[in-house]
Amino acid sequence: MSLTKTEMHPDDPERMPPARRRRARRLLAPLNADERAAWVDRMAQRASPSFDFFLFSLLSGLVLSIGLMLDQPVLLLLGAVTAPLMTPLVGTALGTVLGSGRYFLRSLTGLVIGSLLVFVCGYIAGASLFYLAPYWQPTSFTQAHLNAQLSWLNFLILAFGAIFTSALMVKSERSAAAPSVLLAYELYLPLTIAGYGLGSGIPHLWPDGMVIYAIHLAWGALLGAITLAILGFRPLTLFGYTLGAALALLGVILLIGLSGAGVVVVDQVALPTPVPTATFTVTPTLTETPTPPPPTATFTPTLTNTPTLPPTETPTASPTPLYALVQTAGGRGALMRNLPNGEVVGSYVDGTLMVVIPGTVEQDGVVWVHVLAPDGVEGWMNQSVLATATPAPNWGG
């Protein structure tokens, strides 16, 4: 029996009743299994990292690195806008809910490669401070230190970006562009700070930035997986549930262990106090020895001591300390290093009074002066950024 030409396919969107067609357009998730299968293929293709993803990740890392060097938050925001669409993170969420290790590893590998490019840009920017020291020095590292700390506001921004990027990717890549900027800001900025700190040697930036990146990456993938699961794309195999549970456990451990609850373990709060055990020590006994009789007293002449005057102290003149002021062209401030051409230990603005410690070192045509800062930090500074504040014949060399 043949079907008539006027029979309509019930799932053909062009032949659906108008009410159902409008409802289908409003839904984020596909309607039936065939549409879900087609959507999974399209989603997997979108989430696969392309050459554009790596290229714009590199460009984003460059802009973020310049923003850290100039300490300009506007450039940091521009770096996030320059970043590519964070589809590989959505791909890891898709691999989780589908239980597909192939999707998960492919998306995660692409995201790691893009992140490595961003990290290298930050490292190069931090290492370049060593070569730019005689000509230009950053005034402060406020933005770097500010964004290398755990913050609930940043976590909320990450959650907003991960949830809406994953949800809107169901419809199209273009609609997910705006929340993807927030996701890139919370992932690429801490990673750039980590590379910047490793290259410049500024304390705490390297480990703190890397830890925040790991926390944001785990929670971003987890929140994306939860969003897709709510939309109806749940794991089809036991591996999907296992992978999702492992991802959730990793995010919780990282967040709890670094949010202050780790103090319980470090400071042994509410842990049993070890009870000291008594140790027995042997007390030695004294053996009595016979006391010899006292000798017979004999008369000896008494000597009279002639008093002598105590020696008088001769005051010695202490050398006048030599002071120097930090003075640079344009008022950019100067860096202090632990050794000549060593790691950065501080940054000081123009007008800071330094105590010059005797002894100078010349390396590669640059004279390094041993100084003591007002905050007690001792290190070496380029002689070209210092101006003597007290008259002295030389720098103490």
Side-chain angles (χ1 to χ4, degrees):
M1 179 178 179
S2 60
L3 297 176
T4 60
K5 296 182 180 180
T6 58
E7 186 174 353
M8 295 184 299
H9 192 279
D11 292 330
D12 189 351
E14 297 298 330
R15 299 179 180 180
M16 287 182 182
R20 189 180 178 191
R21 191 185 311 159
R22 288 193 297 269
R23 184 170 62 89
R25 291 193 184 120
R26 289 195 298 266
L27 291 176
L28 289 177
L31 291 175
N32 53 38
D34 293 336
E35 290 180 348
R36 283 193 177 93
W39 177 87
V40 167
D41 293 337
R42 292 195 304 269
M43 193 73 173
Q45 186 176 3
R46 294 174 189 170
S48 299
S50 61
F51 176 76
D52 290 343
F53 176 79
F54 301 124
L55 178 62
F56 282 98
S57 293
L58 182 63
L59 182 60
S60 176
L62 291 174
V63 178
L64 290 172
S65 301
I66 296 174
L68 291 177
M69 294 180 67
L70 301 179
D71 201 33
Q72 294 295 327
V74 176
L75 292 179
L76 301 182
L77 181 59
L78 179 61
V81 174
T82 311
L85 192 64
M86 304 302 289
T87 52
L89 184 65
V90 181
T92 60
L94 177 65
T96 301
V97 297
L98 296 180
S100 173
R102 181 168 60 91
Y103 284 163
F104 182 84
L105 291 178
R106 183 175 64 182
S107 300
L108 183 61
T109 301
L111 183 60
V112 169
I113 295 176
S115 301
L116 183 61
L117 294 175
V118 175
F119 180 84
V120 170
C121 290
Y123 178 83
I124 294 176
S128 64
L129 293 179
F130 172 79
Y131 301 98
L132 296 177
Y135 314 101
W136 174 84
Q137 310 224 356
T139 56
S140 64
F141 305 101
T142 304
Q143 294 300 320
H145 287 288
L146 183 64
N147 290 280
Q149 301 175 6
L150 284 174
S151 169
W152 284 110
L153 178 59
N154 287 336
F155 190 81
L156 291 177
I157 294 175
L158 171 73
F160 184 90
I163 292 173
F164 280 88
T165 301
S166 302
L168 296 177
M169 277 287 292
V170 176
K171 282 294 184 181
S172 65
E173 295 184 24
R174 184 176 301 177
S175 59
S180 177
V181 173
L182 304 179
L183 203 55
Y185 184 88
E186 297 300 336
L187 287 176
Y188 278 176
L189 179 56
L191 193 62
T192 309
I193 293 174
Y196 188 77
L198 184 62
S200 62
I202 301 175
H204 307 299
L205 291 184
W206 145 244
D208 293 352
M210 186 59 67
V211 165
I212 293 176
Y213 168 77
I215 294 176
H216 287 181
L217 177 60
W219 273 96
L222 176 61
L223 292 172
I226 294 174
T227 302
L228 295 178
I230 293 175
L231 294 177
F233 302 95
R234 295 176 178 82
L236 302 178
T237 62
L238 180 61
F239 177 75
Y241 289 100
T242 305
L243 184 61
L247 194 63
L249 182 61
L250 175 62
V252 171
I253 289 176
L254 289 174
L255 186 62
I256 293 179
L258 297 163
S259 63
V263 178
V264 174
V265 179
V266 176
D267 295 341
Q268 296 185 347
V269 178
L271 296 180
T273 305
V275 179
T277 57
T279 56
F280 297 95
T281 57
V282 180
T283 304
T285 57
L286 300 177
T287 305
E288 295 183 0
T289 56
T291 304
T296 305
T298 56
F299 295 98
T300 57
T302 303
L303 299 177
T304 303
N305 294 327
T306 304
T308 58
L309 298 176
T312 58
E313 297 181 356
T314 303
T316 58
S318 58
T320 302
L322 176 62
Y323 296 96
L325 290 174
V326 176
Q327 184 175 346
T328 59
R332 297 187 302 268
L335 295 176
M336 179 186 292
R337 303 180 182 271
N338 60 343
L339 295 172
N341 285 338
E343 297 181 355
V344 177
V345 295
S347 176
Y348 300 92
V349 298
D350 283 17
T352 304
L353 187 64
M354 299 287 181
V355 178
V356 179
I357 301 175
T360 58
V361 174
E362 183 176 355
Q363 291 186 1
D364 300 329
V366 178
V367 179
W368 295 91
V369 182
H370 198 186
V371 295
L372 177 64
D375 55 3
V377 178
E378 182 178 341
W380 297 79
M381 300 185 73
N382 194 325
Q383 185 179 2
S384 63
V385 300
L386 295 174
T388 54
T390 56
N394 51 40
W395 284 92

